[in-house]
Amino acid sequence: RGGGGGDTISKMPDVEKSVPPKDPGDSEGRSCKPETSGPPHEDKSGPEDPPPFLSVTGLTETVNEVSKLSNKIGMNCDYYMEEKVLPPSSLEGKVKETVHNAFWDHLKEQLSATPPDFSCALELLKEIKEILLSLLLPRQNRLRTEIEEALDTDLLKQEAEHGALKVLYLSKYVLNMMALLCAPLRDEAVQKLENITDPVWLLRGIFQVLGLMKMDMVNYTIQSLQPHLQEHSIQYERAKFQELLNKQPSLLNHTTKWLTQAAADLTMSPPTCPDTSDSSSLAGPSPNEATNNSEPLSPTMVLCQGFLNLLLWDPENEEFPETLLMDRTRLQELKSQLHQLTIMASVLLVASSFSGSVLFGSPQFVDKLKRITKSLLEDFLSRPEEAILTVSEQVSQEIHQSLKNMGLVALSSDNTASLMGQLQNIAKKENCVHSVIDQRIRLFLKCCLVLGVQRSLLDLPGGLTLIEAELAELGQKFVNLTHHNQQVFGPYYTEILETLISPTQALETKVESV
């Protein structure tokens, strides 16, 4: 098979239905259809970047020269690309559908004319040939020769001039070749095309599936080259940073301050990844307990604390570590996801205390509450009070109705009022449930950095078991980001930490991989 790693691509909708395809291919922008320039593509061109200034701005501009794709692959070994699907109701989606339908209607008119006009069909077959050739592996020379001969452009042009171009026959040949080259995931889609006899609909379906096959090949190539791309990304980012550091030695000032604060936090806090999940160990030290921790600091633990502190970063604080500027947006997204999970877990914890184990023993009921809470929390940052009020109303109503449906005692008016009141209080950071859940999620993330995600999931603190899947996703993203960052900037962190940790305290001579 020509494509591997394509199992992550979503299945193709039935091409025989009267719905626009995801992307009929670049051929729609060819000369036979001058009214469109083809499907939109990400514009990667642009003016050359100006010489970097010796400042954080210069650093950002320089780091941004690194390929975004390479950086993403470097942080995520399971990275894959998927086709952008436009919502049918969006303006762009409607325009694309209209343009594509107009093109395929135009092709139908050409093939139905007397004599037939094969100009667009020739362009499509030429494009199909190029796509098929691009799907071949270097060793598949026999298939390459066969495709070149079967879809020879000059020969097809001569047949078209004599009105003898067999579009349906050639399309069937293409289908047979697609069946040989496609990933197993595409077998069903190709088989569906074999039942189509209309040449226009068949070509339309062929382009749709070929688009998916091209994406499969891209992902297969990414997976094959992932180790090399990862190493390239690490070396490139470090080299560019070193160039700037040579010109501006103070470029690590904010990074040094960030790690200094992390070390100070560790000396003022109790152990942060205990074997037990006792909430008393999560509430932080009391004023009487806020004394220096007698345990020696290790560079790895200081760095872990520093990474965790980034999830509490004040957006107004411009002294963001220089080594993490490229990851700042991703860290903000993780911070937002953490906050959403804190609210969700808090809602589930409070709700379970009012509905008992019967309802929460049902995975379907829990999943429904999670979906309700997640959808209603999308506007939480802009309208927190309004959003949490809606959540409390919907969750209370769902619990009340579910209890009635199961023949159990429904919530009384007093219990309903109490439940809604407690749910609304969750939005306040000083709320005890909110505070404890937030600290437990942060403890989980720290354990992920130290022990790994899978080991951390084996002993989740109380109140987090209902969001285990969501925590695993958050933890893996956090570990991937911090691991890649440490691979790039580890030597700089080691030098800084050597000045912060005295030789008698240090348990390690260099920063180890977390």
Side-chain angles (χ1 to χ4, degrees):
R1 300 282 181 166
D7 292 346
T8 54
I9 305 295
S10 57
K11 289 189 176 181
M12 179 199 74
D14 190 349
V15 297
E16 295 185 68
K17 294 181 180 179
S18 300
V19 295
K22 290 182 180 178
D23 188 347
D26 294 341
S27 62
E28 296 192 10
R30 296 299 181 116
S31 56
C32 64
K33 191 174 70 70
E35 63 269 22
T36 180
S37 57
H41 295 281
E42 182 180 358
D43 184 11
K44 298 181 180 179
S45 63
E48 293 186 2
D49 290 336
F53 298 100
L54 300 182
S55 63
V56 173
T57 302
L59 170 66
T60 305
E61 292 173 352
T62 300
V63 172
N64 280 340
E65 293 175 8
V66 181
S67 166
K68 291 183 179 180
L69 176 60
S70 179
N71 184 265
K72 289 180 180 178
I73 295 173
M75 285 193 300
N76 184 5
C77 61
D78 297 322
Y79 178 82
Y80 69 94
M81 295 183 66
E82 55 187 350
E83 189 176 20
K84 178 183 178 182
V85 181
L86 299 172
S89 58
S90 67
L91 177 60
E92 191 177 357
K94 291 178 179 178
V95 170
K96 184 176 181 179
E97 178 183 357
T98 301
V99 170
H100 287 178
N101 287 338
F103 169 72
W104 293 111
D105 289 344
H106 178 59
L107 176 64
K108 186 173 184 177
E109 291 175 4
Q110 284 191 340
L111 296 181
S112 301
T114 306
D117 180 354
F118 295 111
S119 56
C120 278
L122 283 172
E123 289 294 320
L124 293 178
L125 290 170
K126 181 181 177 182
E127 184 72 19
I128 287 173
K129 174 185 172 182
E130 293 174 358
I131 295 174
L132 289 176
L133 292 175
S134 72
L135 296 175
L136 296 177
L137 297 174
R139 65 176 181 272
Q140 294 176 307
N141 294 319
R142 184 184 62 79
L143 286 178
R144 187 179 306 277
T145 301
E146 182 181 331
I147 293 172
E148 291 276 11
E149 292 176 353
L151 298 176
D152 180 82
T153 304
D154 293 333
L155 180 61
L156 295 182
K157 193 176 296 183
Q158 291 178 18
E159 292 179 357
E161 290 172 353
H162 292 85
L165 186 66
K166 300 177 181 178
V167 177
L168 187 60
Y169 171 80
L170 291 169
S171 299
K172 293 294 184 181
Y173 168 80
V174 170
L175 276 183
N176 292 333
M177 191 59 61
M178 289 168 63
L180 287 174
L181 299 176
C182 72
L185 179 67
R186 308 298 169 204
D187 285 341
E188 183 180 353
V190 173
Q191 290 171 4
K192 286 183 179 180
L193 295 180
E194 294 174 354
N195 299 322
I196 302 177
T197 56
D198 181 273
V200 175
W201 272 104
L202 182 54
L203 282 172
R204 186 169 186 166
I206 284 173
F207 267 97
Q208 182 178 355
V209 179
L210 281 176
L212 298 175
M213 290 172 62
K214 284 169 62 179
M215 198 64 70
D216 293 343
M217 177 56 76
V218 168
N219 287 317
Y220 171 77
T221 305
I222 287 175
Q223 291 298 319
S224 301
L225 298 178
Q226 200 274 341
H228 305 287
L229 292 172
Q230 183 182 45
E231 184 61 27
H232 170 78
S233 175
I234 292 169
Q235 298 299 331
Y236 184 88
E237 290 181 61
R238 186 185 298 165
K240 281 297 180 182
F241 188 86
Q242 184 61 50
E243 287 179 13
L244 282 178
L245 188 60
N246 292 339
K247 298 175 182 178
Q248 188 181 2
S250 62
L251 200 56
L252 285 169
N253 284 359
H254 294 167
T255 302
T256 302
K257 187 174 181 179
W258 162 62
L259 290 175
T260 302
Q261 181 60 52
D265 291 342
L266 285 177
T267 61
M268 301 294 288
S269 63
T272 49
C273 195
D275 293 329
T276 64
S277 57
D278 185 356
S279 62
S280 63
S281 67
L282 301 172
S286 67
N288 294 331
E289 296 170 330
T291 56
N292 288 341
N293 193 338
S294 59
E295 292 193 15
L297 295 177
S298 74
T300 297
M301 292 307 296
V302 173
L303 192 55
C304 287
Q305 184 63 41
F307 285 135
L308 283 169
N309 287 349
L310 296 172
L311 299 178
L312 292 167
W313 198 269
D314 182 359
E316 301 299 322
N317 186 353
E318 293 301 325
E319 296 185 349
F320 200 79
E322 299 90 344
T323 54
L324 283 141
L325 285 174
M326 193 173 184
D327 300 315
R328 188 168 190 175
T329 300
R330 296 186 186 97
L331 284 164
Q332 289 173 341
E333 292 172 355
L334 292 179
K335 179 181 178 181
S336 176
Q337 189 176 347
L338 186 154
H339 185 257
Q340 187 180 77
L341 287 184
T342 300
I343 299 295
M344 180 186 293
S346 301
V347 167
L348 294 175
L349 186 60
V350 170
S352 65
S353 66
F354 280 83
S355 55
S357 60
V358 178
L359 287 183
F360 274 77
S362 166
Q364 293 79 9
F365 176 79
V366 174
D367 287 341
K368 188 172 185 179
L369 282 193
K370 286 161 72 172
R371 288 195 303 271
I372 291 172
T373 304
K374 184 177 180 179
S375 63
L376 295 176
L377 286 177
E378 291 178 356
D379 299 328
F380 186 86
L381 291 178
S382 57
R383 298 180 294 119
E385 294 182 2
E386 199 172 320
I388 199 66
L389 174 61
T390 308
V391 168
S392 66
E393 292 173 346
Q394 292 285 334
V395 169
S396 300
Q397 181 179 345
E398 188 65 35
I399 291 175
H400 181 81
Q401 190 60 46
S402 297
L403 288 172
K404 285 183 63 178
N405 292 344
M406 296 181 69
L408 301 174
V409 179
L411 293 177
S412 65
S413 56
D414 289 343
N415 282 341
T416 300
S418 178
L419 172 59
M420 290 184 61
Q422 291 190 38
L423 290 175
Q424 291 173 49
N425 285 333
I426 287 172
K428 302 174 183 177
K429 289 187 177 181
E430 62 271 18
N431 176 265
C432 62
V433 175
H434 181 122
S435 178
V436 169
I437 292 296
D438 178 72
Q439 291 180 53
R440 289 181 177 181
I441 292 179
R442 294 180 193 280
L443 171 63
F444 167 77
L445 291 176
K446 189 157 194 174
C447 290
C448 286
L449 294 181
V450 178
L451 306 175
V453 177
Q454 294 307 315
R455 284 184 61 187
S456 301
L457 289 171
L458 295 177
D459 189 22
L460 281 176
L464 302 187
T465 53
L466 294 177
I467 59 167
E468 180 177 346
E470 292 80 4
L471 281 177
E473 179 185 353
L474 176 64
Q476 194 60 59
K477 287 180 180 178
F478 191 48
V479 168
N480 288 343
L481 186 152
T482 55
H483 179 69
H484 180 76
N485 178 268
Q486 189 177 342
Q487 286 185 304
V488 176
F489 298 105
Y492 304 107
Y493 295 150
T494 297
E495 289 186 17
I496 295 172
L497 290 170
E498 284 177 351
T499 66
L500 297 178
I501 303 174
S502 65
T504 56
Q505 280 187 303
L507 298 179
E508 304 162 39
T509 58
K510 64 179 181 178
V511 177
E512 298 177 355
S513 172
V514 296

